[in-house]
Each structure stands twice: as structure tokens, then as C-alpha cells.
Amino acid sequence: MVLPRAAALTEASLAHWPLPDPGPNADKEARGQVLVIAGSTELRGAALLAGIAALRAGAGKLTIACPASIAPGLALAVPESRVIPLPETRGGGLAARGCEALAPLAERVAAVVVGPGLRDERGSMPFVRRLLPLFRECTVLLDSIAMSVATERPFDTPVLLTPHAGEMAHLSGLSKEAIAQEALAVACEAAVRWNACVVLKGARTIIATPQGRAWRFDDGSLGLATSGSGDVLAGLMGGFAARGLPPEQAAAWAVVVHAKAGNNLGRRLGPVGYLARELGGEVPAVMRKLGR
């Protein structure tokens, strides 16, 4: 394939994609509802980080669906969210029959984030396969082990994939070194092959679309390479998609806002050592500045 030229993703780029304005009298329904399906007994915080980030991005309503064993704690930790307990596999993943509890949400949610902190890749794949047709009218973001369904066949719904180099190596069969050297080519080829908007995360983040467009973002910071940072980024993308941005634009806004939030913390606290949980608190002010 002929590679597109990757345009630089900057604050100015976002001016062409303003955030939807629901108006001063709009209620929470007007800002969209996001469903976050995440977490496991070992990574309970991933659901919390992604869910709160979606709200910080401006989504009006949040539902978290998670393994039943961690649902009570999450309900207390994120009182802003509805929490739906889902049946678990023996390996601690999500059982396919759990989709029955989520089906009634299909007509109400605008975006779905699936994968942060999930476990039992093999056992959870039937759940993800059954989920996708239910939410075919929504923007669906697949993160972590949920992305493994990408290797089976091209998607026929608006899907966002958010691999880092290690995850892309797992999905593509390439080495991490090859992916780092040819990130643009790898992301663009994957976007076309899987019919998905691919966000290949790294020191330089590449956003590639199945239509052949590509963006590169070079303004990340070392401090963002920390546990939970990717969960926050996934939640931001879900929140922006819930507000009405299409996948490419939701990804672009999330990547820039995530980085600016990290830069703000870096200036106040130091270049490394701030926590992923602190990023969300920076997001509203960053959005306000970028939206001017």
C-alpha cells in the first residue's frame, strides 16, 4: 500500500474539529452516555480510571460493567456511575452470557469502552464477539486484551483500537523493534486490514484511519509512561465519542488532552512521578483552553 503522509497533530488541528456544544440549557442526556466494560480482581482500578476519565471528557452519563466480584467496591469508589455486575469466567474474565445484561443499553449509549484491566484473554473473547453486534450503532473502543478480536476479520462497525507497541506485536506478529521503526506503516496497514481507527501509542503516537488518513503526535512526555495512563486515555476517547465526535476526532482530542494534562502535572510536580489518577483533574481546564 502507498503510505499517506502523517500530518502533525497539534492544538491547531483540533480547531477544525470543535467539541459538540449541547447548549447552556442541555441536560446530561445531551452530552451522551458512555459504557465502560473493564476491570478484574487484579486490576480493579482500570475501570475506575477509564470511567472517571470519560466523565472528565464531558460525557453526561457513565455506566461501568465489570466482573461481579469487584462491582460493590467500584460502586462505592465511583458514585457518579451506574455499576452492572457481570458473570466471570474461571480465569477471571467476562463470560459471554453477561452480554444479556448489557443488551438493553444498546439504544441509549453513544460510546463503549471495552478492555481496560480485563483478564483471561481466551475466555473473554466470546464475550467481546457477542458484544460487538449489540452495539453496532455506537462507537466502540477496544483496549488491552479486547483488541484480540481484530485478528479474526475486519470490523463492520465504527471501532477504535489503542495498542502500544507490545500489544501491536501480539496482534500483528511483528517484533516490537520493527513496530517502533515503522510505526506509521504498521498503523496504516492495520487500520486498512481491520477497518478500524488505530491509535498506536508510544513516544510518537500515530492515528491511522481505514480511509487512508494519518496523524502523528510528538508532544508526549516521559511522565505519561506510567501505570494506568492508557486506561485514562481510553476513557477520554470514550467520553469524547459519547459527546458526538467520530472515532478519528475523538482519538485526536483524547491524545492531545491527555498529553496536555500530563504536561501540566509535569510542570507542577516534576517530569516523572505523577499518577494516572491525577490526570483526570487536569482535563476540564485543558479542554476549556483548547476550545477557545
Side-chain angles (χ1 to χ4, degrees):
M1 63 178 292
V2 178
L3 287 181
R5 179 179 177 273
L9 179 60
T10 65
E11 294 183 33
S13 307
L14 302 184
H16 299 288
W17 299 328
L19 291 175
D21 181 7
N25 299 317
D27 61 13
K28 58 189 176 184
E29 302 289 346
R31 297 208 313 273
Q33 180 175 171
V34 60
L35 169 63
V36 172
I37 306 170
S40 61
T41 55
E42 295 181 5
L43 294 170
R44 305 172 188 223
L48 181 150
L49 291 170
I52 290 178
L55 290 176
R56 290 294 194 180
K61 296 181 71 174
L62 168 66
T63 298
I64 295 176
C66 62
S69 60
I70 69 171
L74 272 175
L76 292 173
V78 192
E80 299 87 353
S81 176
R82 176 187 178 188
V83 175
I84 299 176
L86 299 176
E88 301 171 55
T89 66
R90 290 184 178 182
L94 296 178
R97 66 182 186 278
C99 289
E100 297 172 6
L102 302 180
L105 297 175
E107 295 182 357
R108 300 201 292 272
V109 303
V112 184
V113 177
V114 190
L118 288 187
R119 281 290 179 257
D120 187 16
E121 179 176 354
R122 183 175 180 181
S124 294
M125 284 307 96
F127 172 89
V128 179
R129 294 188 197 103
R130 188 178 297 185
L131 183 83
L132 288 174
L134 295 176
F135 291 90
R136 61 186 308 111
E137 301 301 324
C138 308
T139 295
V140 176
L141 181 150
L142 300 180
D143 184 60
S144 187
I145 66 169
M147 291 187 289
S148 293
V149 297
T151 62
E152 298 176 358
R153 60 180 180 273
F155 295 103
D156 58 2
T157 57
V159 174
L160 268 162
L161 302 177
T162 58
H164 53 58
E167 291 166 333
M168 182 60 87
H170 175 63
L171 295 172
S172 66
L174 300 171
S175 69
K176 289 178 63 175
E177 293 73 21
I179 292 167
Q181 293 173 3
E182 300 292 341
L184 176 61
V186 171
C188 289
E189 194 276 334
V192 173
R193 182 170 75 249
W194 297 329
N195 190 33
C197 181
V198 174
V199 183
L200 181 54
K201 301 177 293 188
R204 165 179 285 182
T205 293
I206 301 293
I207 301 173
T209 75
Q211 294 79 27
R213 294 185 297 274
W215 300 85
R216 72 176 195 279
F217 183 75
D218 302 306
D219 196 26
S221 62
L222 179 62
L224 289 173
T226 188
S227 294
S229 179
D231 304 326
V232 173
L233 180 62
L236 291 175
M237 290 186 200
F240 288 128
R243 293 184 62 179
L245 291 179
E248 177 184 5
Q249 297 177 22
W253 267 92
V255 166
V256 174
V257 168
H258 185 250
K260 297 297 180 185
N263 290 341
N264 288 351
L265 290 170
R267 283 191 292 270
R268 290 206 312 273
L269 304 178
V272 297
Y274 56 81
L275 305 177
R277 75 180 76 159
E278 297 170 312
L279 290 165
E282 303 293 318
V283 168
V286 171
M287 289 193 303
R288 180 177 61 184
K289 181 178 179 181
L290 292 175
R292 288 173 181 169

